[in-house]
Amino acid sequence: MSIPKASDKTLDRSGVRREHRLAVIGGDGIGPEVVEAGVEVLEALSRARPALGFALTRYDWSSERRLRTGRYIPEGGLAELKSFDAILFGAVGSREVPDHESLWGLRLAIVQSFDQYANVRPARVLPGVESPLSAGAAIDWVIVRENAEGEYAGHGGRAHRGLPIEVGTETAVFTRAGVERIHRFAFELARQRPKKRLTLVTKSNALRFGMVLWDEVFHELAAQYPDVRTDRELVDAVTARMVKRPESLDVLVATNLHADILSDLAAALSGSLGVAPTANLNPERAFPSLFEPIHGSALDIAGQGIANPIGTFWTLVLLLEHLGETEAAAALMRAIERVTEARVHTPDLGGTATT
Ligand code: ATP
């Protein structure tokens, strides 16, 4: 299996206008602020390229809507969303709704229903941005996060509520099919990068079942990718390696929980949580993929107009690549780097710029 490219329709160079249909969900906190900044970027890209167009449909799915109507996603909402080429998402999380409800009510409802099992998180120190690491310039990683099962499979329960014998279980689920498809995705990605290195992140010393399956399937697949150099690292040890020997890592594949944590570390080592992008991909393109900055709703700075939009702009680069718009994606990445290099920084990067 190779990672499918965008359909011929989107790659058409015959002069026909390529119009991509995007669903735009700002969500909560700074989500709508950074997403609207992203929409301005898309409009600018399209103005400069007459053949490239975006048809945007905005959805007000948010915690405010959940409090008003009882639901994040209205009846029929997911079916409607399925018809889009891609989804641009801001963030979800509010003081009024418990985090596990907001996450499962909106973001995970889409990610799980649309089988977006490959979560891709590039990390790099952009020009003009300072890493807290002296060796930060060597950071050039892609974290591939298993996004459909593992620790976040939603498998578990509560019993005997309120009694001294109350119990809560949380079962991590690892299926051979689920493990194989994410490892294969990571191998295919590693193969396309100059270093062609792939690090298996695991915890199979302590977790004897699912994580051992995770490792076994990886090693079985490795035989099919002789051009990719592999190694294996325990999740605790890889945190130290990220800090001490960043140049020794390239692509990392990790479980849902492990990669969630590692990618926040990667974002912080790259200078700020505000610059890091994410793609939630359904590589088979049976469903639209969802693109979002790594950060959350950042309620502490919401409404002040100071949120860093770079994470969303870089996210748009991933979205454009997914749509086959490689030239526009490269142009946008160059523009982002020119801006960061000129130190047009929001306060999270030590500057005074507004969103
Ligand atoms: P979540 O649980 O959804 O990840 P959180 O509150 O734990 O939410 P974030 O919302 O990502 O995490 O915020 C963590 C910190 O990073 C906050 O102090 C926030 O202000 C800062 N931060 C996050 N994103 C940005 C951004 N785009 N620009 C500036 N600061 C940001």
Side-chain angles (χ1 to χ4, degrees):
M1 183 191 83
S2 64
I3 300 164
K5 295 280 182 273
S7 71
D8 290 345
K9 175 178 74 84
T10 56
L11 293 173
D12 186 0
R13 289 177 184 278
S14 61
V16 180
R17 190 159 194 267
R18 303 181 305 282
E19 186 162 85
H20 302 288
R21 293 184 64 244
L22 304 184
V24 178
I25 306 170
D28 295 334
I30 62 168
E33 302 172 32
V34 291
V35 156
E36 285 311 314
V39 167
E40 284 183 45
V41 166
L42 289 177
E43 286 167 356
L45 276 170
S46 164
R47 266 199 308 278
R49 291 169 184 71
L52 175 63
F54 302 96
L56 308 179
T57 306
R58 288 182 173 77
Y59 290 92
D60 67 345
W61 302 349
S62 61
S63 295
E64 186 274 319
R65 188 178 212 288
R66 148 78 172 68
L67 291 167
R68 193 161 34 85
T69 68
R71 299 182 63 153
Y72 278 94
I73 303 179
E75 190 78 38
L78 281 177
E80 196 177 314
L81 209 57
K82 188 172 184 293
S83 69
F84 287 90
D85 296 322
I87 303 160
L88 175 61
F89 186 79
V92 64
S94 106
R95 293 190 185 93
E96 285 79 33
V97 184
D99 282 346
H100 63 275
E101 277 180 37
S102 57
L103 194 62
W104 282 93
L106 184 53
R107 189 183 164 277
L108 285 177
I110 301 171
V111 167
Q112 298 269 4
S113 304
F114 288 177
D115 204 19
Q116 293 163 350
Y117 64 84
N119 182 292
V120 179
R121 302 181 155 193
R124 191 153 62 77
V125 182
L126 298 176
V129 174
E130 269 170 40
S131 166
L133 286 186
S134 53
I139 295 174
D140 185 5
W141 307 323
V142 181
I143 297 178
V144 174
R145 169 181 176 183
E146 198 293 311
N147 213 27
E149 52 177 40
E151 307 86 347
Y152 297 176
H155 207 75
R158 298 267 299 264
H160 313 303
R161 280 181 188 256
L163 298 178
I165 56 163
E166 182 166 2
V167 58
T169 60
E170 201 83 53
T171 307
V173 175
F174 294 92
T175 64
R176 175 170 282 275
V179 170
E180 183 172 341
R181 65 184 184 172
I182 195 64
H183 285 333
R184 193 176 287 284
F185 181 90
F187 273 105
E188 292 286 342
L189 182 73
R191 168 175 271 182
Q192 288 163 25
R193 289 172 51 90
K195 282 192 185 167
K196 299 191 195 321
R197 288 198 69 155
L198 178 59
T199 299
L200 170 71
V201 180
T202 186
K203 193 63 192 170
S204 55
N205 56 344
L207 304 170
R208 302 181 284 170
F209 309 111
M211 291 266 65
V212 174
L213 175 65
W214 171 261
D215 290 9
E216 279 173 12
V217 174
F218 181 89
H219 293 303
E220 285 167 24
L221 276 181
Q224 297 173 27
Y225 295 87
D227 51 327
V228 177
R229 263 199 300 162
T230 61
D231 60 1
R232 171 184 172 277
E233 197 78 81
L234 296 177
V235 64
D236 38 345
V238 89
T239 56
R241 184 162 156 198
M242 287 166 77
V243 171
K244 292 194 162 158
R245 290 190 295 130
E247 74 293 342
S248 72
L249 294 162
D250 181 17
V251 180
L252 299 90
V253 63
T255 69
N256 217 329
L257 171 66
H258 293 165
D260 190 5
I261 298 166
L262 294 181
S263 52
D264 261 37
L265 174 60
L269 296 177
S270 307
S272 166
L273 212 51
V275 301
T278 316
N280 297 276
L281 301 178
N282 173 255
E284 288 75 25
R285 296 173 187 269
F287 298 94
S289 295
L290 182 145
F291 299 81
E292 58 178 341
I294 275 192
H295 62 77
S297 52
L299 299 171
D300 53 335
I301 58 163
Q304 298 176 33
I306 56 165
N308 192 337
I310 296 284
T312 303
F313 298 168
W314 193 350
T315 292
L316 289 175
V317 173
L318 304 182
L319 182 150
L320 290 164
E321 284 170 351
H322 182 73
L323 295 175
E325 298 292 352
T326 47
E327 183 277 325
L332 175 53
M333 198 67 226
R334 281 195 302 276
I336 290 170
E337 291 181 343
R338 269 202 301 277
V339 169
T340 57
E341 193 166 20
R343 295 180 192 268
V344 181
H345 288 333
T346 43
D348 56 306
L349 291 177
T352 55
T354 61
T355 302

